Amino acid sequence: MSEDLNRSPSMDVDIAFLKSKRGILKVAEMVTFLVAFVCFTVAATPKYTTATVLEFLITLLLVLLYVLKLNKRLTFFFWPLMDMFNSLFATLYFTVLSLMALATYTVTGTLVGGIVGLMSAGLLFVDSYTLFKNITFNNPRSEAQNQNNE
């Protein structure tokens, strides 16, 4: 009985996710968000800084969700669909935000942040497209896995 009390719950860590295409894409998104954040902060534009930090944190939480395999434990959401909607919404939002930053820049930091924001929007679009391709709604799970493996 004392052995059961001494056993701590173990957390599975999926380092292979960070080496996968989606993991590399998520890390690249986080890097571009961080660069855009620094540029907007240097340019002292808080309206762009806030949106960039928020999307950085959302992407960081999704990466932690996949790396710690919490998506297997928290099954009340369909996480790939949530991730796809986040990426799609963020693509649209960052496209508009970056175009606004480019159109109204007065400081070089805002210009560079707008350009990096457009790069982030491109990465987010690729992420949402790959997630959309992988999500199947009409096929049973075993058929979907066979099609993805081919």
Side-chain angles (χ1 to χ4, degrees):
M1 186 177 293
S2 64
E3 292 174 10
D4 291 337
L5 295 175
N6 292 335
R7 187 184 309 167
S8 64
S10 64
M11 180 72 67
D12 291 333
V13 177
D14 186 15
I15 299 299
F17 175 77
L18 294 175
K19 297 177 184 177
S20 70
K21 290 178 184 178
R22 284 201 51 235
I24 292 170
L25 192 59
K26 288 285 186 197
V27 170
E29 289 172 14
M30 288 179 18
V31 167
T32 56
F33 290 140
L34 188 63
V35 170
F37 165 72
V38 169
C39 291
F40 289 140
T41 303
V42 167
T45 51
K47 55 187 171 186
Y48 304 132
T49 303
T50 306
T52 309
V53 167
L54 183 63
E55 192 56 41
F56 175 81
L57 291 175
I58 290 171
T59 306
L60 178 66
L61 291 175
L62 284 169
V63 167
L64 287 175
L65 178 90
Y66 292 129
V67 167
L68 298 176
K69 294 185 178 182
L70 294 175
N71 58 333
K72 308 271 191 231
R73 291 185 183 187
L74 304 173
T75 58
F76 50 88
F77 287 124
F78 185 52
W79 289 107
L81 189 62
M82 296 285 287
D83 195 0
M84 186 195 73
F85 280 138
N86 173 56
S87 295
L88 190 62
F89 175 74
T91 299
L92 296 173
Y93 189 77
F94 266 90
T95 301
V96 170
L97 181 100
S98 298
L99 290 176
M100 284 176 42
L102 290 173
T104 62
Y105 83 94
T106 55
V107 181
T108 307
T110 307
L111 176 67
V112 175
I115 293 170
V116 174
L118 283 176
M119 291 170 47
S120 298
L123 290 171
L124 286 163
F125 176 76
V126 170
D127 190 22
S128 62
Y129 177 74
T130 56
L131 281 167
F132 181 75
K133 248 178 44 175
N134 289 336
I135 296 174
T136 57
F137 295 104
N138 297 329
N139 295 339
R141 185 177 292 253
S142 61
E143 289 179 24
Q145 289 174 349
N146 289 339
Q147 287 179 354
N148 288 338
N149 292 335
E150 293 175 359

